[in-house]
Amino acid sequence: MSYRHRFFGVCGVLALGLLSFSSAVAQEKSAKDLIVGNWTLTIADHVRADGSKIPGFGPLPGGNATFGADGRYSVQLMPNLQTTLASSTTTGGPSQGAAQGTVSYSGTYAIDESQKTLTLRVEQASLPNWSGTTQVGSIKFLFDEDLGWTNPKPLTTGSDFTGTELIWRRAK
């Protein structure tokens, strides 16, 4: 075996060891610890009853979510302003996201790790029928840098929508 083959073999073994060590460290953190912090929205899809999805808030939506160690949260979702303006000039009207506007809500949250659920108790909301509600969504994934959950309440008024899938990236 040549020196080059041994070198790459050792590098490969070291890389696998580092990957399994970092995933073991990530697995040691509870979901309650992982969710704490600031998140930036990457995807907000409206989900239809048949499971199909369409982008909510237009392409490349904007938004932030903050989950505190004290059990409080705040979420803001909005259309991407540059995309909205470009769509308005090319189509002669606002995009679907712009027509929908901004949605914000806040309150307290809880995570049930065994059921993989995120419960949001909405205390204040820009959508009047959300204030005072409790929303229990499914956590699709939660890692150090990525969070995905399905909100059981649609963020649109369309009757054929059954929820919203939100994908977040930890804010830098």
Side-chain angles (χ1 to χ4, degrees):
M1 186 183 282
S2 74
Y3 173 76
R4 179 182 284 169
H5 286 107
R6 277 185 269 160
F7 175 75
F8 286 119
V10 169
C11 288
V13 169
L14 287 173
L16 287 174
L18 286 173
L19 284 174
S20 40
F21 175 74
S22 64
S23 78
V25 169
Q27 289 175 357
E28 289 177 16
K29 286 186 176 179
S30 71
K32 292 174 185 176
D33 292 333
L34 284 171
I35 201 168
V36 171
N38 298 315
W39 300 85
T40 302
L41 185 67
T42 59
I43 295 174
D45 285 345
H46 298 310
V47 181
R48 289 193 168 110
D50 67 3
S52 63
K53 301 171 189 169
I54 64 163
F57 302 94
L60 303 173
N64 298 296
T66 301
F67 292 90
D70 62 353
R72 299 202 58 79
Y73 77 91
S74 174
V75 174
Q76 300 80 37
L77 309 165
M78 64 213 70
N80 180 304
L81 186 57
Q82 285 97 8
T83 305
T84 301
L85 294 175
S87 175
S88 294
T89 57
T90 58
T91 63
S95 70
Q96 178 180 354
Q100 185 165 347
T102 300
V103 174
S104 61
Y105 50 106
S106 63
T108 60
Y109 74 94
I111 292 181
D112 183 332
E113 294 191 48
S114 65
Q115 297 294 313
K116 294 187 170 133
T117 58
L118 173 63
T119 301
L120 302 176
R121 289 173 207 83
V122 182
E123 294 173 1
Q124 300 175 356
S126 61
L127 301 170
N129 58 337
W130 277 31
S131 292
T133 64
T134 298
Q135 301 176 15
V136 181
S138 301
I139 298 175
K140 298 180 73 112
F141 53 86
L142 176 56
F143 304 109
D144 282 336
E145 300 297 319
D146 299 293
L147 164 64
W149 88 77
T150 301
N151 188 335
K153 296 248 185 206
L155 296 174
T156 185
T157 56
S159 61
D160 59 336
F161 295 107
T162 59
T164 303
E165 184 175 276
L166 302 166
I167 310 286
W168 304 85
R169 175 124 319 280
R170 187 167 302 277
K172 301 282 180 192

mmCIF file of all heavy atoms in Angstrom, residues 96-114:
data_model
loop_
_atom_site.group_PDB
_atom_site.id
_atom_site.type_symbol
_atom_site.label_atom_id
_atom_site.label_comp_id
_atom_site.label_asym_id
_atom_site.label_seq_id
_atom_site.Cartn_x
_atom_site.Cartn_y
_atom_site.Cartn_z
ATOM 1 N N GLN A 96 -48.705 37.010 -4.424
ATOM 2 C CA GLN A 96 -49.555 36.395 -3.405
ATOM 3 C C GLN A 96 -49.033 36.703 -2.010
ATOM 4 O O GLN A 96 -49.799 36.978 -1.110
ATOM 5 C CB GLN A 96 -49.602 34.886 -3.628
ATOM 6 C CG GLN A 96 -50.437 34.172 -2.578
ATOM 7 C CD GLN A 96 -50.456 32.683 -2.818
ATOM 8 O OE1 GLN A 96 -49.951 32.190 -3.809
ATOM 9 N NE2 GLN A 96 -51.037 31.963 -1.899
ATOM 10 N N GLY A 97 -47.705 36.668 -1.846
ATOM 11 C CA GLY A 97 -47.111 36.956 -0.543
ATOM 12 C C GLY A 97 -47.390 38.373 -0.097
ATOM 13 O O GLY A 97 -47.686 38.620 1.074
ATOM 14 N N ALA A 98 -47.302 39.329 -1.009
ATOM 15 C CA ALA A 98 -47.538 40.726 -0.646
ATOM 16 C C ALA A 98 -48.984 40.939 -0.252
ATOM 17 O O ALA A 98 -49.288 41.695 0.665
ATOM 18 C CB ALA A 98 -47.168 41.631 -1.808
ATOM 19 N N ALA A 99 -49.891 40.267 -0.960
ATOM 20 C CA ALA A 99 -51.306 40.405 -0.618
ATOM 21 C C ALA A 99 -51.565 39.847 0.773
ATOM 22 O O ALA A 99 -52.418 40.336 1.492
ATOM 23 C CB ALA A 99 -52.158 39.669 -1.657
ATOM 24 N N GLN A 100 -50.810 38.830 1.137
ATOM 25 C CA GLN A 100 -51.011 38.220 2.440
ATOM 26 C C GLN A 100 -50.475 39.100 3.563
ATOM 27 O O GLN A 100 -51.018 39.127 4.643
ATOM 28 C CB GLN A 100 -50.328 36.862 2.487
ATOM 29 C CG GLN A 100 -50.611 36.152 3.778
ATOM 30 C CD GLN A 100 -50.267 34.706 3.695
ATOM 31 O OE1 GLN A 100 -50.045 34.181 2.628
ATOM 32 N NE2 GLN A 100 -50.230 34.059 4.815
ATOM 33 N N GLY A 101 -49.379 39.819 3.330
ATOM 34 C CA GLY A 101 -48.831 40.693 4.349
ATOM 35 C C GLY A 101 -48.004 39.975 5.384
ATOM 36 O O GLY A 101 -47.555 38.863 5.187
ATOM 37 N N THR A 102 -47.819 40.619 6.508
ATOM 38 C CA THR A 102 -46.973 40.117 7.581
ATOM 39 C C THR A 102 -47.816 39.448 8.663
ATOM 40 O O THR A 102 -48.890 39.919 8.990
ATOM 41 C CB THR A 102 -46.182 41.288 8.195
ATOM 42 O OG1 THR A 102 -45.370 41.866 7.171
ATOM 43 C CG2 THR A 102 -45.302 40.840 9.325
ATOM 44 N N VAL A 103 -47.298 38.356 9.199
ATOM 45 C CA VAL A 103 -47.950 37.655 10.303
ATOM 46 C C VAL A 103 -46.966 37.624 11.461
ATOM 47 O O VAL A 103 -45.792 37.293 11.285
ATOM 48 C CB VAL A 103 -48.330 36.207 9.909
ATOM 49 C CG1 VAL A 103 -48.874 35.444 11.099
ATOM 50 C CG2 VAL A 103 -49.320 36.207 8.762
ATOM 51 N N SER A 104 -47.434 38.009 12.631
ATOM 52 C CA SER A 104 -46.584 37.911 13.824
ATOM 53 C C SER A 104 -47.419 37.418 14.990
ATOM 54 O O SER A 104 -48.612 37.689 15.076
ATOM 55 C CB SER A 104 -45.934 39.260 14.136
ATOM 56 O OG SER A 104 -46.911 40.228 14.386
ATOM 57 N N TYR A 105 -46.757 36.664 15.853
ATOM 58 C CA TYR A 105 -47.433 36.151 17.037
ATOM 59 C C TYR A 105 -46.394 35.827 18.106
ATOM 60 O O TYR A 105 -45.219 35.615 17.812
ATOM 61 C CB TYR A 105 -48.323 34.942 16.717
ATOM 62 C CG TYR A 105 -47.693 33.825 15.916
ATOM 63 C CD1 TYR A 105 -47.345 32.624 16.523
ATOM 64 C CD2 TYR A 105 -47.484 33.955 14.542
ATOM 65 C CE1 TYR A 105 -46.797 31.588 15.796
ATOM 66 C CE2 TYR A 105 -46.932 32.926 13.802
ATOM 67 C CZ TYR A 105 -46.585 31.744 14.430
ATOM 68 O OH TYR A 105 -46.035 30.708 13.705
ATOM 69 N N SER A 106 -46.841 35.834 19.361
ATOM 70 C CA SER A 106 -45.928 35.581 20.475
ATOM 71 C C SER A 106 -46.702 35.000 21.645
ATOM 72 O O SER A 106 -47.925 35.065 21.699
ATOM 73 C CB SER A 106 -45.225 36.873 20.891
ATOM 74 O OG SER A 106 -46.178 37.808 21.365
ATOM 75 N N GLY A 107 -45.938 34.434 22.578
ATOM 76 C CA GLY A 107 -46.542 33.836 23.762
ATOM 77 C C GLY A 107 -45.568 32.903 24.439
ATOM 78 O O GLY A 107 -44.367 33.188 24.503
ATOM 79 N N THR A 108 -46.063 31.758 24.914
ATOM 80 C CA THR A 108 -45.212 30.772 25.562
ATOM 81 C C THR A 108 -45.205 29.489 24.734
ATOM 82 O O THR A 108 -46.126 29.237 23.959
ATOM 83 C CB THR A 108 -45.687 30.460 26.991
ATOM 84 O OG1 THR A 108 -47.018 29.951 26.933
ATOM 85 C CG2 THR A 108 -45.647 31.701 27.874
ATOM 86 N N TYR A 109 -44.137 28.711 24.917
ATOM 87 C CA TYR A 109 -44.022 27.469 24.155
ATOM 88 C C TYR A 109 -43.591 26.327 25.068
ATOM 89 O O TYR A 109 -43.056 26.540 26.150
ATOM 90 C CB TYR A 109 -43.035 27.616 22.989
ATOM 91 C CG TYR A 109 -41.584 27.633 23.407
ATOM 92 C CD1 TYR A 109 -40.825 26.468 23.420
ATOM 93 C CD2 TYR A 109 -40.959 28.813 23.790
ATOM 94 C CE1 TYR A 109 -39.497 26.476 23.814
ATOM 95 C CE2 TYR A 109 -39.628 28.839 24.174
ATOM 96 C CZ TYR A 109 -38.894 27.666 24.175
ATOM 97 O OH TYR A 109 -37.583 27.677 24.567
ATOM 98 N N ALA A 110 -43.840 25.109 24.592
ATOM 99 C CA ALA A 110 -43.384 23.900 25.278
ATOM 100 C C ALA A 110 -43.066 22.858 24.214
ATOM 101 O O ALA A 110 -43.699 22.829 23.152
ATOM 102 C CB ALA A 110 -44.452 23.374 26.224
ATOM 103 N N ILE A 111 -42.082 22.036 24.515
ATOM 104 C CA ILE A 111 -41.704 20.950 23.607
ATOM 105 C C ILE A 111 -41.945 19.628 24.319
ATOM 106 O O ILE A 111 -41.547 19.448 25.463
ATOM 107 C CB ILE A 111 -40.224 21.055 23.190
ATOM 108 C CG1 ILE A 111 -40.018 22.276 22.303
ATOM 109 C CG2 ILE A 111 -39.766 19.795 22.471
ATOM 110 C CD1 ILE A 111 -38.600 22.459 21.829
ATOM 111 N N ASP A 112 -42.615 18.704 23.620
ATOM 112 C CA ASP A 112 -42.764 17.340 24.103
ATOM 113 C C ASP A 112 -41.846 16.482 23.243
ATOM 114 O O ASP A 112 -42.150 16.206 22.080
ATOM 115 C CB ASP A 112 -44.216 16.882 23.978
ATOM 116 C CG ASP A 112 -44.446 15.479 24.537
ATOM 117 O OD1 ASP A 112 -43.496 14.652 24.530
ATOM 118 O OD2 ASP A 112 -45.570 15.213 24.974
ATOM 119 N N GLU A 113 -40.703 16.107 23.814
ATOM 120 C CA GLU A 113 -39.695 15.377 23.041
ATOM 121 C C GLU A 113 -40.175 13.985 22.640
ATOM 122 O O GLU A 113 -39.859 13.523 21.555
ATOM 123 C CB GLU A 113 -38.378 15.312 23.808
ATOM 124 C CG GLU A 113 -37.774 16.692 23.966
ATOM 125 C CD GLU A 113 -36.354 16.686 24.474
ATOM 126 O OE1 GLU A 113 -35.537 15.917 23.925
ATOM 127 O OE2 GLU A 113 -36.063 17.449 25.399
ATOM 128 N N SER A 114 -40.951 13.327 23.485
ATOM 129 C CA SER A 114 -41.410 11.976 23.168
ATOM 130 C C SER A 114 -42.422 11.986 22.016
ATOM 131 O O SER A 114 -42.428 11.087 21.186
ATOM 132 C CB SER A 114 -42.001 11.294 24.397
ATOM 133 O OG SER A 114 -43.167 11.969 24.824
#
